[in-house]
Amino acid sequence: QVQLVESGGGLVQPGGSLRLSCAASGVFFRITPMAWYRQAPGKQRELVANISNSGRTNYADSVKGRFTISRDNAKNTMYLQMNNLKPEDTAVYYCNADRPRSLFVPALNAWGQGTQVTVSS
């Protein structure tokens, strides 16, 4: 029942833009903190940005000022707007839902399958 599906990845030139989407189902989206992670070949997975259920955001230093995380609770969808892309942004980007247990809702940690972002000239 729980499913996270990323879309929007692709090949772009340095300085270009992409918008990633993560469509969530079965996760009580409105009360679930969400995040984007990425993993480049040969490197550790790293947190790119996260967003609370109420819309508070945090960003990795490497993407501040260039990326914007957002969510549309009515659509059960999270987004990552990526501007001024750099070659070092090349990675597989993963959607994550990580929610602590509450009285009537169980804890959740779920991942999407990932979407490839390649920034190259």
Side-chain angles (χ1 to χ4, degrees):
Q1 187 175 22
V2 174
Q3 187 169 259
L4 304 175
V5 180
E6 300 98 334
S7 62
L11 173 65
V12 296
Q13 294 182 333
S17 297
L18 284 173
R19 189 182 74 158
L20 306 183
S21 298
C22 172
S25 60
V27 299
F28 295 105
F29 186 81
R30 291 164 184 79
I31 62 170
T32 301
M34 302 289 294
W36 288 99
Y37 287 78
R38 68 186 182 187
Q39 187 166 24
K43 301 187 70 175
Q44 289 186 294
R45 185 182 65 185
E46 64 176 344
L47 177 67
V48 177
N50 56 22
I51 183 166
S52 75
N53 55 294
S54 61
R56 290 178 286 107
T57 60
N58 290 284
Y59 297 90
D61 288 342
S62 59
V63 307
K64 284 182 179 177
R66 300 188 298 120
F67 291 11
T68 302
I69 188 171
S70 62
R71 64 192 296 157
D72 187 338
N73 287 342
K75 297 181 179 179
N76 290 343
T77 302
M78 176 180 65
Y79 305 95
L80 185 68
Q81 178 66 47
M82 305 185 295
N83 298 325
N84 192 23
L85 283 160
K86 304 176 180 180
E88 51 263 45
D89 295 318
T90 295
V92 177
Y93 284 70
Y94 296 93
C95 176
N96 171 251
D98 190 7
R99 184 187 66 232
R101 180 188 179 276
S102 61
L103 185 59
F104 295 104
V105 183
L108 175 71
N109 188 269
W111 296 87
Q113 81 290 342
T115 185
Q116 177 71 48
V117 172
T118 302
V119 185
S120 177
S121 59

